[in-house]
Amino acid sequence: MSMHCDQCQESIRGTGCNVRGVCGKDETTARLQDTLVYAVEGVALVAAGLEAPLDRNYGQFISESLFVTVTNTNFDEEAIVERIRKTLAVRDEVRALSGKTPSHDAATWTGSTRDEFVAKAVTCGIDSLSENPDLRSLKSLVLYGLKGLAAYTDHAAVLGYHDDEVYAFYVKALSALLREMTVDELLTLVMETGATAVKAMALLDRANTTTYGNPEITTVKTGVGSRPGILISGHDLRDMDELLKQTEGTGVDVYTHCEMLPAHYYPAFKKYSHFVGNYGSSWWAQDREFDTFNGPILMTTNCIVPVRESYRHRMFTTGMAGYPGLRHIAAREAGREKDFSQIIELAKSCQPPVQIENGEIVGGFAHTQVLALADKVVDAVKSGAIKRFVVMAGCDGRHATREYYTDVAEALPKDTVILTAGCAKYRYNKLPLGDIGGIPRVLDAGQCNDSYSLAVIALKLKEVFGLEDINDLPISYDIAWYEQKAVTVLLALLYLGVKGIRLGPTLPEFLTPNIAAAIVEKFGLKPIGTVEADIQAMMAGV
Ligand code: SF4
Ligand code: SF3
């Protein structure tokens, strides 16, 4: 048995991961995830036969199942086996509702044991998408875009927000992956994935801001207090909300890690005095940082790295996240909050965190906050005080090549402003880059889930400056990617007509030379180069 996974930037160059994932995913888990994706495609295939729109519960279920397969989200064989079983049951339910049985195996295959599901993957992994490498490459681009999309729609659904058009697109696109398609058909589907990504990101933005308020400019402390703490990571704001409520008055503090940092920017959360600050940095440094944190850690989504023995007993997962041997906080029962009491009890018996830094991070520049400063920003552009904006959003990762982003941030001329979102910011968000007339030179909109803000800001500036084309704005894009949500954001930007995006540290392994060349030609997408050459080109608007 072997595996084949190429969905993230750290995939082994030339072959993809085929013995064990660089992320730590083993063959069995990789196989099970392939089978889960195939089971979800089966749901979509039978749902295509429904007369009525897909019920929202099924839309949410599809989102959850795909989210499980996003890089670094779920490594737990047992949880994935159970999810495949449930997905097959959902498929059969939807098939019965439609009254039609498509002749494709995805609509009818059965199985119930781990071994059957592992064996099934031999015929339904990514290699089965097409025998033609270019077609397989385009199908992979759609599939990975859908996985990122699923994370967004799951987060929105958790807050009670749904978009039936997005759910309908899952049915259309996932079932399309099961049939032969031409390059042109697939290119159209890629663009539709980008269009749907914009809708899903807008939905999530509405869900977050309606529920928790509009992010505000906030200074977040990176030092620690003297009480025991709980560290919460991942992207799920409802978990954040309920953890803060349940820890209030218990003598336990709450700290954010990695992509949970932007929770500090929301009015609904910043009001808590025991919400102390952010501990540590990016996801890939978690093994060191979780070690010194001393208290329990709650992982609400990706990114989990292989768990060290030293903190295994105090690490928990919830939602779609999972890791073998860790305790998992169960889903909410109808009308009730999740129960975090065992984490809180454990925290009370732990030592306070060891301080590893003692500074501040400023963020909260989501679209409403930046647009509130629009006059100031526009004046700064008109007066020449701001020459250029550089969007450096996306993901962080382990490889030393990502020092490029630190070097770019440091070397950019002082009259440039960096717009960011996602964990990519940890490469430069603690540098003393200063401000321009009171406007910080790094404007952090929030999580990767908030990348929509950057699109709204660009579209608003286009309107304010009376421009016809978004590409006439003094904005360059120097994006870092790692997992599939970044693929989704990239497709959204391409759909919005943004040209000349730099993407790094490398172009996706899953793009064949032909497909990469086609995308480069059509959208002007380019791999990053040297720091000096890229800055020079960006400042020249190239
Ligand atoms: Fe490899 Fe990335 Fe797949 Fe993990 S998610 S197995 S690192 S390609
Ligand atoms: Fe980061 Fe995993 Fe992508 Fe949310 S936490 S941006 S990599």
Side-chain angles (χ1 to χ4, degrees):
M1 189 182 76
S2 67
M3 59 181 276
H4 184 202
C5 184
D6 62 3
Q7 65 180 1
C8 83
Q9 190 274 328
E10 294 185 2
S11 155
I12 294 180
R13 307 301 294 173
T15 57
C17 297
N18 52 18
V19 177
R20 184 183 177 85
V22 174
C23 60
K25 186 162 78 174
D26 65 19
E27 286 181 24
T28 306
T29 310
R31 290 283 186 188
L32 289 169
Q33 290 189 357
D34 285 348
T35 302
L36 177 54
V37 168
Y38 186 64
V40 180
E41 289 168 352
V43 174
L45 186 66
V46 297
L50 290 170
E51 304 284 333
L54 188 69
D55 183 280
R56 290 179 165 184
N57 288 329
Y58 294 134
Q60 183 168 0
F61 186 85
I62 290 174
S63 310
E64 288 173 353
S65 297
L66 285 182
F67 194 0
V68 164
T69 71
V70 166
T71 298
N72 291 341
T73 301
N74 200 315
F75 296 82
D76 186 357
E77 270 182 31
E78 278 178 36
I80 302 168
V81 166
E82 192 47 38
R83 176 75 30 195
I84 298 169
R85 287 193 192 113
K86 276 195 202 151
T87 307
L88 291 179
V90 163
R91 181 203 63 187
D92 293 349
E93 222 172 270
V94 176
R95 195 180 60 206
L97 283 173
S98 80
K100 297 173 201 139
T101 303
S103 58
H104 198 288
D105 170 71
T108 52
W109 73 279
T110 54
S112 65
T113 66
R114 167 192 175 278
D115 290 352
E116 284 170 322
F117 294 153
V118 170
K120 184 71 186 170
V122 175
T123 55
C124 69
I126 51 168
D127 297 322
S128 71
L129 288 171
S130 175
E131 284 173 8
N132 175 319
D134 292 338
L135 296 175
R136 188 166 67 236
S137 173
L138 282 169
K139 282 189 170 181
S140 301
L141 181 55
V142 171
L143 174 61
Y144 302 154
L146 293 174
K147 288 187 179 197
L149 197 63
Y152 295 136
T153 52
D154 179 52
H155 284 298
V158 163
L159 296 174
Y161 286 74
H162 304 266
D163 183 330
D164 293 328
E165 286 181 17
V166 177
Y167 291 157
F169 183 70
Y170 282 133
V171 172
K172 175 180 173 176
L174 285 164
S175 55
L177 295 178
L178 293 168
R179 63 170 193 269
E180 282 302 320
M181 296 181 81
T182 64
V183 167
D184 284 347
E185 284 172 329
L186 279 166
L187 284 172
T188 304
L189 198 59
V190 167
M191 278 300 97
E192 285 178 346
T193 310
T196 312
V198 175
K199 276 187 204 150
M201 285 158 58
L203 175 75
L204 179 56
D205 183 75
R206 205 162 61 247
N208 286 342
T209 56
T210 310
T211 314
Y212 301 118
N214 281 306
E216 299 166 351
I217 302 175
T218 306
T219 301
V220 182
K221 295 203 178 320
T222 59
V224 302
S226 56
R227 309 194 306 175
I230 296 173
L231 189 57
I232 174 168
S233 192
H235 304 73
D236 193 298
L237 296 183
R238 190 158 172 196
D239 290 335
M240 181 84 241
D241 183 22
E242 293 175 358
L243 182 67
L244 283 170
K245 280 184 192 145
Q246 292 176 31
T247 42
E248 193 172 23
T250 61
V252 171
D253 290 332
V254 174
Y255 295 80
T256 53
H257 187 262
C258 191
E259 277 284 67
M260 205 52 100
L261 160 68
H264 290 278
Y265 312 154
Y266 286 90
F269 306 142
K270 48 197 290 193
K271 65 182 185 204
Y272 291 102
S273 59
H274 69 295
F275 192 24
V276 172
N278 189 69
Y279 190 83
S281 54
S282 193
W283 63 269
W284 57 272
Q286 70 185 241
D287 51 355
R288 272 196 327 266
E289 295 166 355
F290 289 0
D291 209 4
T292 53
F293 183 74
N294 286 337
I297 303 124
L298 175 63
M299 259 307 184
T300 63
T301 67
N302 56 317
C303 276
I304 301 173
V305 310
V307 176
R308 274 194 198 173
E309 279 312 313
S310 60
Y311 57 81
R312 176 182 292 270
H313 63 289
R314 51 183 169 86
M315 184 161 165
F316 297 76
T317 57
T318 191
M320 294 307 110
Y323 196 90
L326 299 192
R327 281 172 280 180
H328 187 82
I329 304 297
R332 291 172 190 89
E333 290 170 23
R336 304 187 66 164
E337 293 185 356
K338 283 186 185 173
D339 179 3
F340 294 123
S341 56
Q342 59 175 313
I343 305 184
I344 299 167
E345 281 316 302
L346 176 61
K348 288 177 185 166
S349 67
C350 293
Q351 292 296 313
V354 173
Q355 183 150 296
I356 50 176
E357 58 189 320
N358 191 14
E360 290 176 342
I361 302 171
V362 179
F365 296 93
H367 56 94
T368 42
Q369 190 67 82
V370 174
L371 297 183
L373 298 172
D375 290 348
K376 212 172 167 182
V377 173
V378 169
D379 286 350
V381 174
K382 285 189 175 154
S383 72
I386 295 179
K387 285 265 166 24
R388 203 151 189 92
F389 297 92
V390 182
V391 175
M392 291 178 68
C395 305
D396 196 8
R398 301 174 170 91
H399 287 173
T401 46
R402 287 181 190 262
E403 278 300 307
Y404 161 93
Y405 295 100
T406 311
D407 295 345
V408 167
E410 278 185 315
L412 274 169
K414 302 283 173 263
D415 50 12
T416 55
V417 169
I418 295 169
L419 300 175
T420 193
C423 61
K425 62 174 153 281
Y426 282 101
R427 289 282 165 179
Y428 47 79
N429 69 343
K430 294 171 187 170
L431 299 175
L433 295 179
D435 64 275
I436 300 175
I439 303 168
R441 288 198 50 234
V442 178
L443 298 183
D444 174 24
Q447 299 179 334
C448 55
N449 294 12
D450 301 307
S451 301
Y452 174 73
S453 263
L454 305 179
V456 172
I457 292 167
L459 291 170
K460 186 69 188 176
L461 287 176
K462 178 180 149 222
E463 185 190 312
V464 171
F465 287 112
L467 299 172
E468 289 289 306
D469 186 341
I470 200 168
N471 295 296
D472 293 336
L473 283 167
I475 302 182
S476 301
Y477 294 79
D478 199 3
I479 307 278
W481 84 286
Y482 169 59
E483 37 76 25
Q484 298 77 56
K485 285 193 266 180
V487 174
T488 312
V489 172
L490 177 69
L491 294 181
L493 290 174
L494 297 182
Y495 167 75
L496 289 172
V498 177
K499 297 252 178 0
I501 296 171
R502 282 182 172 72
L503 186 65
T506 52
L507 292 186
E509 168 73 14
F510 59 81
L511 295 180
T512 58
N514 285 341
I515 299 302
I519 294 175
V520 166
E521 193 192 322
K522 184 159 185 208
F523 300 103
L525 186 84
K526 44 199 150 207
I528 59 169
T530 65
V531 172
E532 297 71 25
D534 284 358
I535 290 180
Q536 200 178 25
M538 288 192 282
M539 294 310 290
V542 182

